[in-house]
Amino acid sequence: MTPSEHQGVHARGVRKSFHSAGRRVEVLKGIDLDLLPGEVVGLIGPNGAGKTTLMSCLLGFLRPEEARITFDGLPNNDLTIRGRTGFVPERMNLGRRGTGWQFLRYMARISGVPRDEIDDRVASMLERLGLTSARHASLREYSRGMLQRIAIAQALLHKPDFIFLDEPASALDPNGVLLVRDLINEEKQRGAMVLLNSHQLAEVEKVCDRVLFLHGGLVARAETLRNADRCVMAIRLLSGSFDAITVERIAGVAPTDDIVIVSSETERGVALIVRQLITSGADIVEIRPQTADLEGIFRGAS
């Protein structure tokens, strides 16, 4: 199935409750969401908002009281869907008896990787995750960061169409965080759907196309971080170097606090606006992609 034939993940009315201290606690209160092929969606919110619970319901690990959940039009417990899904949990009990190589070969077999491709696929994934030198070491000898890397490897080695990442950068050093960012972008380019649950707002801003803010068991806010069909940039001007009316005439919008947000269908269009601003006498201090202020939105939604 090609990415253009994928329908993505669709959920309607997801409700889930738990019983605690003799009372019923409703964690999810009727959540609707759509996750499309080739996009990365961030799931953020305060502790206890229901992020991991929602992900577990989507994956079929938990059974909601009410919900309609489909992956490419099929139920989430369909075996073909399971074989096309990759998951990195926040904490993964890998077992410690085997080596990294043995573990990934086992995961490749049960994930449906063709037998004649298993060794090459495992070797490639170990190299991509920086674990080649540790491939024959016992998992009990792995550091926490290495275990996190092997957990990411097992989720991606069968080239899944649906990828669920629950705090994938947990326990990773800065190089590992950058690696996760690159892997997410690679999977997006491949056409996979990626749902990312993370408290690292800066990383969410860098990799996600959209974010969903969970609060009180509901999607309190949904925000688009970047538009696929437009180039939106924030241009910071040197205070006192520009005429606001001239800037508005060129950019189509007035500057606020020395920053003007420009939008065009192409990067060339943005470059033309920048050139016109400079020609008008404005001094440009910074140009950066315009994304939502996740920290500000997080505080407001919480």
Side-chain angles (χ1 to χ4, degrees):
M1 183 178 289
T2 64
S4 62
E5 296 174 311
H6 292 172
Q7 301 172 35
V9 177
H10 303 279
R12 294 292 179 269
V14 182
R15 293 181 177 274
K16 179 61 182 175
S17 301
F18 296 98
H19 291 274
S20 176
R23 65 188 184 92
R24 178 174 171 270
V25 179
E26 191 173 23
V27 178
L28 304 178
K29 301 178 180 179
I31 288 180
D32 298 339
L33 57 78
D34 299 289
L35 308 171
L36 303 179
E39 75 166 351
V40 183
V41 178
L43 196 59
I44 66 176
N47 292 333
K51 303 182 296 296
T52 297
T53 299
L54 175 59
M55 192 173 282
S56 297
C57 288
L58 294 175
L59 287 163
F61 299 153
L62 292 176
R63 180 176 297 177
E65 284 86 23
E66 298 179 26
R68 183 175 184 274
I69 301 170
T70 61
F71 287 54
D72 281 355
L74 298 172
N76 59 351
N77 61 355
D78 184 275
L79 290 181
T80 61
I81 294 300
R82 293 289 178 91
R84 295 168 54 203
T85 300
F87 175 49
V88 178
E90 183 175 7
R91 296 180 182 84
M92 185 170 184
N93 184 3
L94 301 177
R96 299 298 185 94
R97 294 185 179 180
T99 66
W101 176 269
Q102 291 169 337
F103 171 73
L104 287 185
R105 289 195 83 256
Y106 170 75
M107 295 303 294
R109 289 199 301 272
I110 66 174
S111 297
V113 175
R115 185 174 296 274
D116 60 348
E117 296 180 17
I118 288 178
D119 285 352
D120 287 344
R121 194 84 64 88
V122 169
S124 175
M125 190 57 64
L126 284 167
E127 181 178 3
R128 186 71 182 90
L129 271 296
L131 294 171
T132 298
S133 62
R135 63 190 183 280
H136 296 311
S138 169
L139 290 176
R140 67 167 58 93
E141 300 173 26
Y142 278 33
S143 67
R144 188 179 173 196
M146 293 169 68
L147 290 172
Q148 188 69 14
R149 287 174 182 248
I150 205 93
I152 295 170
Q154 63 81 30
L156 302 182
L157 60 83
H158 58 297
K159 299 181 180 179
D161 295 318
F162 314 103
I163 301 173
F164 295 80
L165 307 175
D166 195 355
E167 299 289 357
S170 173
L172 293 181
D173 60 19
N175 285 333
V177 173
L178 293 175
L179 175 60
V180 169
R181 186 193 306 172
D182 290 343
L183 289 169
I184 290 174
N185 284 324
E186 289 169 12
E187 294 303 315
K188 173 184 175 178
Q189 294 303 315
R190 190 172 59 79
M193 176 234 83
V194 182
L195 181 64
L196 169 66
N197 174 21
S198 176
H199 285 107
Q200 298 183 8
L201 298 184
E203 287 305 309
V204 171
E205 284 188 358
K206 288 181 173 67
V207 301
C208 290
D209 302 301
R210 296 187 292 126
V211 291
L212 304 176
F213 296 82
L214 261 62
H215 184 61
L218 296 168
V219 177
R221 184 165 176 174
E223 193 78 24
T224 298
L225 299 186
R226 50 186 55 83
N227 294 289
D229 57 347
R230 296 196 69 79
C231 181
V232 183
M233 307 293 285
I235 302 175
R236 184 158 64 93
L237 307 171
L238 181 65
S239 181
S241 72
F242 61 92
D243 175 69
I245 295 177
T246 302
V247 170
E248 183 174 6
R249 176 178 55 79
I250 295 171
V253 61
T256 302
D257 297 329
D258 298 332
I259 296 176
V260 60
I261 308 300
V262 302
S263 174
S264 177
E265 293 183 355
T266 64
E267 291 182 344
R268 185 178 297 276
V270 172
L272 177 61
I273 293 172
V274 170
R275 189 178 303 118
Q276 291 175 336
L277 288 171
I278 294 173
T279 301
S280 75
D283 293 327
I284 295 177
V285 177
E286 179 187 23
I287 304 174
R288 57 179 170 77
Q290 170 66 5
T291 60
D293 176 13
L294 285 191
E295 183 174 343
I297 295 171
F298 187 92
R299 293 178 185 276
S302 299

